[in-house]
Amino acid sequence: MDKRIQRHASILIHHSARVEQGDMVEVKAPTSAEKLVIALNEQLGQIGARPRLTWLNSRANAAYLQALAPEDAVTAEHTVAAMEETDVHIVIQSHTNTAEHSETPAEVGQAVARASAPVQEAVPDRDVFTVYPAPGNAQQAEMSTKAYEDFVWNAINQDWEAQHEFQEQLVEYLESASEINLTRPTGTDLTMSVNGMHAINGDGRGNLPDGEVFTAPIVDSINGIVKFDFPVQHAGQTIEDVTLTFEQGEVVEHHAATNESTLTSLLNTDSGARRLGEIGFGMNRGIDQFTQNILFDEKMAGTVHLALGSASDRAAPKRGNESTIHVDMLIDMREGGVVTVDGEMIQQDGSFVFEN
Amino acid sequence: MDKRIQRHASILIHHSARVEQGDMVEVKAPTSAEKLVIALNEQLGQIGARPRLTWLNSRANAAYLQALAPEDAVTAEHTVAAMEETDVHIVIQSHTNTAEHSETPAEVGQAVARASAPVQEAVPDRDVFTVYPAPGNAQQAEMSTKAYEDFVWNAINQDWEAQHEFQEQLVEYLESASEINLTRPTGTDLTMSVNGMHAINGDGRGNLPDGEVFTAPIVDSINGIVKFDFPVQHAGQTIEDVTLTFEQGEVVEHHAATNESTLTSLLNTDSGARRLGEIGFGMNRGIDQFTQNILFDEKMAGTVHLALGSASDRAAPKRGNESTIHVDMLIDMREGGVVTVDGEMIQQDGSFVFEN
């Protein structure tokens, strides 16, 4: 077996989920991730943990959803019961074809998602989401499968203890910060306060790859203009060249070069959809290109992401923005970008002052 | 999709498991059964039942078992919890390679099986075991995959209501029977009593394919000699030309042309392993050849099977033989075989008197 797969499994088990003897582990995986499942099972056997394996089969799931009347959506009580006895939850994203749900009616998916809320509530704290590189993911990234494998394992197979220490330097700036300002020669000039919010060190526990530090803005503190440098995927559409103007935390003007009406709909989802819930800094130096997969893109070193919609409870206990949406959008700081914290420059051209 | 797969799914859902709206359904399937899983999910969606899909991955399971210390085997509490909330349990056997567990130590498999007893106890009454034809199964049957597909769906895709009626004729003979005698020109001449036992109509509820009527002998009533006409698979060995001599229900002599020592070990497993728990009559006229898969072989029309070991509680409530083993062995009645019930011939050359 490819040593990179064994290392990926080892990081998931020992770093991300900290699996112990006797732990009840649920692994959810699609067919294309079989090799990672085999590697996980071998290491779970060595530890003496107990796996159960749920098959994420997008063709079978699409067949179910496309035949289901929305009013027949019921809570999967057997799945809730299993989740309540689960100590570790590992979900593997891996696609042979990312478009298997293209014909699934949105209202059925939404009805099943609502009925599945009790499943989500039962997910244990040790909950990891990762990617196994399959042809469908590679196609989405416009890369060969071989090149995409290199890309994914470069992003994942890192020394996460060292990455934690590296990121902790930014955490320290942000924990004591009040005002953050972002500027770019393209016209971006945005100011917000994060006073009293927590900065979270994304060091490979909940996501793999990880490699970001994020916090939450004070909801009405945001003012200025921001131009996003990468396309935004939403509702099956690609929205390009998004520009947002904020006044007292609210989007008062918006533009996009393509699918502007999709952006308008997004902003009108609910009252929190016009406000920001997150500002995050990509710090994974193993991710050096945009691949249309937010799990990777938002971690790319030299980028900053802002999320319209809900804030993390960990970053902003009881104080963050609330919404049913959470849509991340990226700014590329690598050419002319400057980040200041309370007037002190902490990043220029995508490099932090504490980087070598 | 192949119409035969859709019909297979329909029989499983509507005849075998009688799935209803709102039922919690667990489907356990290997990768090679994907098409049947898709067909099942579509029909479960139409009914409004709720599937969850467990991936039977023999490579991953072998990796787990081969890494596990037997003393680390623990009950899968998450699986028990899920099973307790499950209304319908459908297990699909389908092999890419039937030998994936060749290097798995028997003691680990046994330790995990013991730890899994609470899972087995929680399996619901609506519990179906079926086969999806894959290359590994076909190879075991010494058939091409295409020919094996025809064989499997001929055996499965039948009118099970009509088969029930056909088999009910034998049930009536056996329910009122006392003494059964089997003879063959090869030397088989065996007598037993089934007085007061129940005859069970295997009509496609618990197994698919099905097509047998079975009952249990009175434990100490069996006398005579029986020569089995097909090889017996046990503990990875093939035991050929098995002959057993019974006196008052107990095997007092045994012979085999190959692996006789395996047969000896089998008979010495426990005190019930030298006694019979079942006599069954294969009645599926869609199964016309031996394929080394007992789920099919024991249903083959014109055969009788005897099982060393445990009796079915349904056939022999509190009165049947008890053992940890249940090993079916086949007699081919099609050339010169005669079955009498209380002196009346009911089958000759593999054909029942009530058959056309």
Side-chain angles (χ1 to χ4, degrees):
Chain A
M1 180 173 294
D2 190 322
K3 297 283 184 212
R4 298 176 300 181
I5 300 174
Q6 291 172 320
R7 182 150 178 230
H8 186 176
S10 177
I11 291 171
L12 280 167
I13 288 176
H14 295 286
H15 174 78
S16 304
R18 319 229 158 175
V19 179
E20 296 179 3
Q21 186 175 348
D23 274 345
M24 297 293 131
V25 179
E26 169 135 16
V27 176
K28 291 182 176 162
T31 312
S32 50
E34 182 177 37
K35 286 183 182 173
L36 180 56
V37 171
I38 293 169
L40 285 169
N41 259 17
E42 182 174 8
Q43 296 184 34
L44 291 171
Q46 288 162 354
I47 293 171
R50 188 70 178 87
R52 69 176 270 116
L53 181 55
T54 293
W55 194 8
L56 300 178
N57 188 309
S58 53
R59 288 189 64 184
N61 192 34
Y64 171 67
L65 293 175
Q66 289 168 24
L68 186 73
E71 61 271 24
D72 283 348
V74 291
T75 301
E77 298 294 351
H78 43 4
T79 301
V80 175
M83 199 65 88
E84 286 172 348
E85 297 295 327
T86 297
D87 301 305
V88 171
H89 185 229
I90 298 173
V91 180
I92 306 170
Q93 181 196 78
S94 185
H95 291 289
T96 305
N97 172 1
T98 60
E100 288 296 359
H101 278 288
S102 296
E103 294 84 39
T104 302
E107 65 269 27
V108 183
Q110 288 156 4
V112 170
R114 279 193 299 274
S116 299
V119 177
Q120 293 308 317
E121 285 159 21
V123 170
D125 289 341
R126 284 184 286 165
D127 175 36
V128 196
F129 184 81
T130 193
V131 167
Y132 180 87
N137 306 71
Q139 179 173 326
Q140 187 177 43
E142 299 178 359
M143 295 166 78
S144 72
T145 304
K146 181 176 187 303
Y148 189 69
E149 288 175 352
D150 292 341
F151 170 76
V152 168
W153 284 313
N154 278 342
I156 288 174
N157 288 339
Q158 301 201 9
D159 179 343
W160 287 100
E161 301 294 341
Q163 183 71 16
H164 174 92
E165 294 307 316
F166 170 58
Q167 294 180 176
E168 200 61 18
Q169 299 172 88
L170 178 57
V171 168
E172 283 172 22
Y173 276 106
L174 296 179
E175 280 281 332
S176 58
S178 177
E179 188 179 274
I180 299 178
N181 175 259
L182 310 175
T183 57
R184 282 261 289 141
T186 54
T188 290
D189 187 350
L190 194 73
T191 302
M192 66 186 68
S193 171
V194 296
N195 194 7
M197 298 295 188
H198 293 300
I200 308 298
N201 191 328
D203 59 358
R205 301 294 190 92
N207 282 181
L208 208 64
D210 207 339
E212 66 168 323
V213 171
F214 64 92
T215 184
I218 290 175
V219 177
D220 61 2
S221 73
I222 306 145
N223 287 288
I225 293 176
V226 57
K227 183 169 178 344
F228 295 96
D229 301 295
F230 295 102
V232 176
Q233 303 293 330
H234 182 71
Q237 306 289 319
T238 301
I239 314 171
E240 293 178 292
D241 294 335
V242 173
T243 304
L244 301 178
T245 305
F246 287 86
E247 284 182 15
Q248 295 187 322
E250 192 173 28
V251 174
V252 293
E253 267 190 65
H254 65 277
H255 297 289
T258 64
N259 290 304
E260 188 175 283
S261 63
T262 306
L263 177 62
T264 305
S265 299
L266 178 66
L267 291 166
N268 289 335
T269 306
D270 54 33
S271 63
R274 296 190 159 263
R275 297 173 181 277
L276 292 184
E278 178 179 326
I279 176 171
F281 297 83
M283 298 182 74
N284 187 327
R285 288 170 290 190
I287 301 174
D288 57 3
Q289 59 184 303
F290 183 74
T291 59
Q292 301 193 63
N293 183 341
I294 196 65
L295 184 69
F296 289 77
D297 297 337
E298 67 174 1
K299 316 295 175 9
M300 182 164 35
T303 65
V304 171
H305 56 276
L306 304 176
L308 287 169
S310 64
S312 154
D313 281 343
R314 290 160 64 210
K318 300 178 185 171
R319 301 174 55 202
N321 190 34
E322 293 183 8
S323 172
T324 58
I325 70 161
H326 182 99
V327 178
D328 291 289
M329 300 178 168
L330 268 73
I331 309 157
D332 190 347
M333 305 298 286
R334 291 173 294 185
E335 289 186 16
V338 173
V339 180
T340 64
V341 170
D342 297 325
E344 179 185 356
M345 188 187 75
I346 64 159
Q347 191 198 65
Q348 185 169 29
D349 293 332
S351 292
F352 289 99
V353 290
F354 50 80
E355 281 190 83
N356 300 327
Chain B
M1 180 171 297
D2 191 323
K3 297 282 184 213
R4 299 177 299 180
I5 300 173
Q6 291 171 320
R7 182 150 179 230
H8 186 176
S10 177
I11 292 171
L12 280 167
I13 287 175
H14 295 287
H15 173 78
S16 305
R18 318 228 159 177
V19 179
E20 295 178 3
Q21 186 176 349
D23 274 345
M24 297 294 130
V25 180
E26 168 135 17
V27 176
K28 291 182 176 162
T31 313
S32 50
E34 182 177 35
K35 287 183 182 173
L36 180 56
V37 170
I38 292 169
L40 285 169
N41 260 17
E42 183 174 8
Q43 296 184 34
L44 291 170
Q46 287 162 355
I47 293 171
R50 187 69 177 89
R52 69 179 267 115
L53 182 54
T54 294
W55 194 8
L56 300 178
N57 188 310
S58 53
R59 287 189 64 184
N61 191 33
Y64 171 67
L65 293 175
Q66 288 168 24
L68 187 72
E71 63 271 22
D72 283 348
V74 291
T75 301
E77 299 295 351
H78 43 3
T79 301
V80 175
M83 199 65 88
E84 286 172 347
E85 297 296 326
T86 297
D87 300 307
V88 171
H89 185 229
I90 297 173
V91 181
I92 307 170
Q93 181 196 78
S94 185
H95 291 290
T96 305
N97 172 2
T98 61
E100 288 297 359
H101 278 289
S102 295
E103 295 84 37
T104 302
E107 65 269 27
V108 182
Q110 288 156 3
V112 170
R114 279 194 299 275
S116 299
V119 178
Q120 293 308 314
E121 285 158 21
V123 170
D125 289 341
R126 285 185 286 163
D127 175 36
V128 196
F129 185 81
T130 194
V131 167
Y132 181 87
N137 306 71
Q139 180 174 326
Q140 186 177 42
E142 299 178 359
M143 294 167 77
S144 72
T145 304
K146 180 175 189 304
Y148 189 69
E149 288 174 351
D150 292 341
F151 170 77
V152 168
W153 285 312
N154 278 342
I156 287 174
N157 289 338
Q158 302 201 7
D159 179 343
W160 288 100
E161 302 293 341
Q163 183 71 15
H164 174 92
E165 295 307 316
F166 170 58
Q167 294 180 176
E168 200 61 18
Q169 300 172 87
L170 178 57
V171 168
E172 284 172 21
Y173 276 106
L174 296 179
E175 280 281 331
S176 59
S178 177
E179 189 179 273
I180 299 179
N181 175 260
L182 311 175
T183 58
R184 281 262 290 141
T186 53
T188 290
D189 188 349
L190 193 74
T191 302
M192 67 185 68
S193 172
V194 296
N195 194 7
M197 298 296 188
H198 294 300
I200 308 297
N201 192 329
D203 60 357
R205 301 293 190 92
N207 282 181
L208 208 66
D210 207 340
E212 67 167 323
V213 172
F214 64 92
T215 185
I218 291 175
V219 178
D220 61 2
S221 73
I222 306 146
N223 287 287
I225 293 175
V226 57
K227 183 172 178 344
F228 295 97
D229 301 296
F230 296 102
V232 176
Q233 303 291 333
H234 181 71
Q237 306 289 317
T238 301
I239 314 171
E240 291 180 293
D241 295 335
V242 173
T243 303
L244 301 178
T245 304
F246 287 87
E247 285 183 14
Q248 296 187 321
E250 192 174 27
V251 174
V252 293
E253 267 189 64
H254 65 277
H255 297 290
T258 62
N259 290 307
E260 189 176 280
S261 62
T262 305
L263 177 60
T264 306
S265 298
L266 178 65
L267 292 166
N268 290 336
T269 307
D270 54 34
S271 63
R274 298 190 156 261
R275 297 174 180 277
L276 293 184
E278 178 179 327
I279 176 170
F281 297 83
M283 297 182 72
N284 187 327
R285 289 170 291 192
I287 301 174
D288 57 2
Q289 60 185 301
F290 183 74
T291 59
Q292 300 193 65
N293 183 341
I294 196 66
L295 184 70
F296 290 78
D297 297 337
E298 66 173 5
K299 316 296 176 8
M300 182 165 36
T303 64
V304 172
H305 55 277
L306 303 175
L308 286 170
S310 63
S312 152
D313 281 344
R314 291 160 63 210
K318 300 179 185 169
R319 302 173 56 203
N321 190 36
E322 293 182 7
S323 172
T324 57
I325 70 161
H326 181 100
V327 178
D328 290 290
M329 301 178 167
L330 268 75
I331 310 158
D332 190 348
M333 305 299 287
R334 292 174 294 186
E335 290 187 14
V338 173
V339 179
T340 66
V341 170
D342 296 326
E344 179 186 354
M345 189 187 74
I346 64 159
Q347 191 197 65
Q348 185 170 29
D349 293 332
S351 291
F352 290 99
V353 291
F354 50 80
E355 282 191 81
N356 301 328

